[in-house]
Amino acid sequence: MTTERIDQSGVGLRSERGPILLAVMLSTGLVALDATILATAVPSVVEDLGGFTQFPWLFSIYLLAQAVSVPIYGKLADLRGRKPMILFGVTLFVVGSVLCGFAWSMPVLIAFRLIQGLGAGAIQPIGMTIIGDIYTVAERAKVQGYLASVWGISSFVGPTLGGVFSDYISWRWIFFVNVPLGIAAAFVLRKRFVEKAAEKTKHQIDYAGAVLLAVGGSLLLLGLLEGGVMWAWDAPVSIAILAVAVLLIIAFALVERRAAEPILPPRVLGRRVLNSANATAFLIGLLMMGLSTYVPVFAQGVLGTTALIAGFALASMTIGWPIAASLSGRIYLRLGFRWTMLLGSAFVVLGSGILLTVSATSSVVQLAAACFVIGVGLGFSSAPAVVAAQSSVDWQHRGVVTGANMFSRSVGSAVGVAAFGAVANGEIAARLGGVHKDLGKLPATVLAPAIHDVFYVAAGAAVLLIVAVAFIPNRIPEQPLAARP
């Protein structure tokens, strides 16, 4: 890994590469804003379109589409180039947003969210891949601050805009607001991002692998997301979905070993640094989604706060994350990847320990403090993991490894929802004699121990995070910058 001194003015928004960085930030902003803006508008959407029992699919279908398409886009970006694929993703996301804005029923809105998710699957991983192409490891130490700021700003702007649009204009504008952002990002990328022409080699697209991954991954995430919610874990439909998913993923692995140009090349993903980075991403996704689900419930149902205060308690995690991510670059340049990520995982363990001390008599400030410390740890762990993975491969595989890392986080999120839900529902069932799906109406005496069990699982995942990051090499020889054939 390089320790070169860099001209800090050469990597800002006013530098020669500044417009490309700005375009990636705008593109990432589409995904980041969407992650927070819709939740506050759900009551207005349901009131207008109906379909209360169906609205969770607004989030599930988006996550499914995004997650399973990420590795495929990553491979296509390596074969066809970054520019055409991210432009395709931005265009698809904007088209999906416009269609969502004109939706006339809940099933139609869910279908259009699928289109949005397919666009988002290209934007984030290819945006990160472009950053890996045009900046060295040393330069990315500063660039991480710009990218982290997008998520930090979105964590505040998203809920605010969602509330304003829902209360004073129309919930439909939470989708229409994506149009000017998407157009601006596409315009700058098209005009300022100059990519070398794709080589004239005829590629053999791994269609079989793509189909098996898409279907198998979709069924796996579907089974994990809806198990214990739409159907019982031991129900025939749950067993069938998960069994078919496992068989398809096994078939995918066998196909990849023989494919001429596999979607996920086994020889690339078999490296220690990549396996460790993907395991880290999986655990980060698990912790992030699990805490995002149950911290607000604990704040409202046990501590008796309002929804707004509960949101601020969780927001402390999204504040700590970008702060740490922006600082992580300076640290890993000095200490190396492994020590920076071990520092991050230590913060996650510390925050999880604080979380275990929160009780029904605690202040919401204590809950927010625990989330902030965990957010700091996740920021110190996630950003170096992506940079380390990208730096360990050349141009031809950078899209694949970035996509695999994002896919691992998505699977971790789904597993987190499933595992934490199973733990909470198990405790509730033991106390009430059956599962109670409306957590908001449970007495605090039942809710508190159930969610505390979830916090214990989170603490266990935090310890596993230390194990995962321990296998990351401390120094990684950097591949040539944008070394495209």
Side-chain angles (χ1 to χ4, degrees):
M1 184 180 65
T2 182
T3 57
E4 63 178 298
R5 296 177 62 88
I6 63 170
D7 177 11
Q8 297 294 332
S9 63
V11 297
L13 293 176
R14 297 183 179 180
S15 66
E16 182 180 356
R17 292 166 290 181
I20 302 174
L21 173 59
L22 177 61
V24 172
M25 291 173 65
L26 288 171
S27 303
T28 303
L30 290 170
V31 179
L33 195 64
D34 189 84
T36 57
I37 196 172
L38 179 57
T40 54
V42 164
S44 298
V45 174
V46 172
E47 182 180 357
D48 188 16
L49 301 181
F52 176 78
T53 58
Q54 298 171 314
F55 88 82
W57 275 96
L58 291 176
F59 303 94
S60 297
I61 199 69
Y62 178 91
L63 175 62
L64 283 169
Q66 181 183 22
V68 301
S69 61
V70 160
I72 298 172
Y73 282 127
K75 180 61 178 180
L76 291 175
D78 288 339
L79 294 178
R80 306 298 188 190
R82 324 305 194 203
K83 185 174 181 177
M85 297 316 302
I86 193 169
L87 286 174
F88 175 79
V90 170
T91 301
L92 195 60
F93 190 92
V94 170
V95 170
S97 298
V98 173
L99 292 173
C100 286
F102 287 112
W104 55 89
S105 68
M106 185 63 74
V108 170
L109 180 58
I110 291 171
F112 292 155
R113 283 283 287 172
L114 171 67
I115 298 175
Q116 262 195 312
L118 291 174
I123 292 172
Q124 191 174 357
I126 298 178
M128 291 297 297
T129 304
I130 291 172
I131 295 300
D133 286 344
I134 67 175
Y135 292 106
T136 65
V137 170
E139 290 172 331
R140 271 177 273 168
K142 182 174 177 64
V143 171
Q144 283 294 338
Y146 288 95
L147 297 177
S149 69
V150 174
W151 290 93
I153 293 171
S154 297
S155 66
F156 285 99
V157 174
T160 303
L161 281 179
V164 170
F165 288 149
S166 298
D167 293 341
Y168 300 105
I169 306 176
S170 169
W171 63 265
R172 298 179 185 275
W173 280 93
I174 67 175
F175 298 109
F176 292 147
V177 73
N178 293 326
V179 176
L181 284 175
I183 291 175
F187 178 81
V188 178
L189 281 169
R190 187 175 180 85
K191 292 293 184 182
R192 300 302 296 268
F193 182 31
V194 179
E195 190 175 27
K196 292 182 180 180
E199 58 181 331
K200 298 301 182 180
T201 305
K202 183 177 181 180
H203 296 285
Q204 299 182 32
I205 305 298
D206 182 16
Y207 293 108
V211 171
L212 288 171
L213 177 63
V215 179
S218 296
L219 290 176
L220 175 64
L221 292 174
L222 175 64
L224 292 173
L225 287 170
E226 300 302 336
V229 180
M230 294 288 290
W231 47 72
W233 284 107
D234 57 354
V237 62
S238 180
I239 296 172
I241 287 175
L242 292 175
V244 173
V246 170
L247 290 175
L248 290 177
I249 291 173
I250 292 174
F252 167 74
L254 295 175
V255 167
E256 296 303 274
R257 297 181 63 180
R258 298 186 177 186
E261 297 188 54
I263 295 292
L264 295 177
R267 63 184 179 84
V268 174
L269 298 181
R271 299 180 183 180
R272 185 184 75 173
V273 59
L274 299 179
N275 289 334
S276 180
N278 291 340
T280 299
F282 175 89
L283 290 168
I284 287 173
L286 183 147
L287 284 163
M288 179 179 65
M289 185 59 69
L291 294 177
S292 297
T293 302
Y294 287 97
V295 164
V297 175
F298 189 90
Q300 291 179 260
V302 179
L303 301 184
T305 69
T306 64
L308 181 63
I309 298 300
F312 282 138
L314 181 62
S316 62
M317 182 171 70
T318 61
I319 294 172
W321 186 314
I323 290 174
S326 63
L327 295 175
S328 65
R330 300 178 183 179
I331 298 177
Y332 67 64
L333 287 178
R334 291 179 178 273
L335 302 181
F337 290 112
R338 185 193 308 121
W339 287 110
T340 303
M341 295 171 67
L342 283 172
L343 173 66
S345 57
F347 269 103
V348 176
V349 171
L350 175 61
S352 300
I354 298 173
L355 199 59
L356 291 176
T357 66
V358 178
S359 67
T361 59
S362 299
S363 166
V364 70
V365 174
Q366 185 178 349
L367 181 64
C371 291
F372 178 80
V373 174
I374 291 173
V376 169
L378 295 178
F380 278 134
S381 302
S382 62
V386 176
V387 176
Q390 290 181 336
S391 302
S392 68
V393 297
D394 53 19
W395 190 98
Q396 291 92 334
H397 298 113
R398 197 169 289 147
V400 165
V401 301
T402 305
N405 191 266
M406 300 291 180
F407 180 69
S408 297
R409 184 182 296 185
S410 296
V411 174
S413 297
V415 171
V417 171
F420 289 4
V423 169
N425 288 334
E427 177 65 24
I428 292 170
R431 290 176 175 270
L432 298 181
V435 175
H436 197 293
K437 293 184 179 181
D438 190 352
L439 298 181
K441 295 183 178 180
L442 287 173
T445 54
V446 174
L447 199 57
I451 298 182
H452 246 283
D453 285 352
V454 168
F455 292 162
Y456 276 111
V457 176
V463 174
L464 290 177
L465 185 62
I466 295 179
V467 177
V469 304
F471 289 94
I472 286 276
N474 207 39
R475 303 287 178 181
I476 299 174
E478 186 178 4
Q479 299 296 322
L481 186 63
R484 179 167 181 170

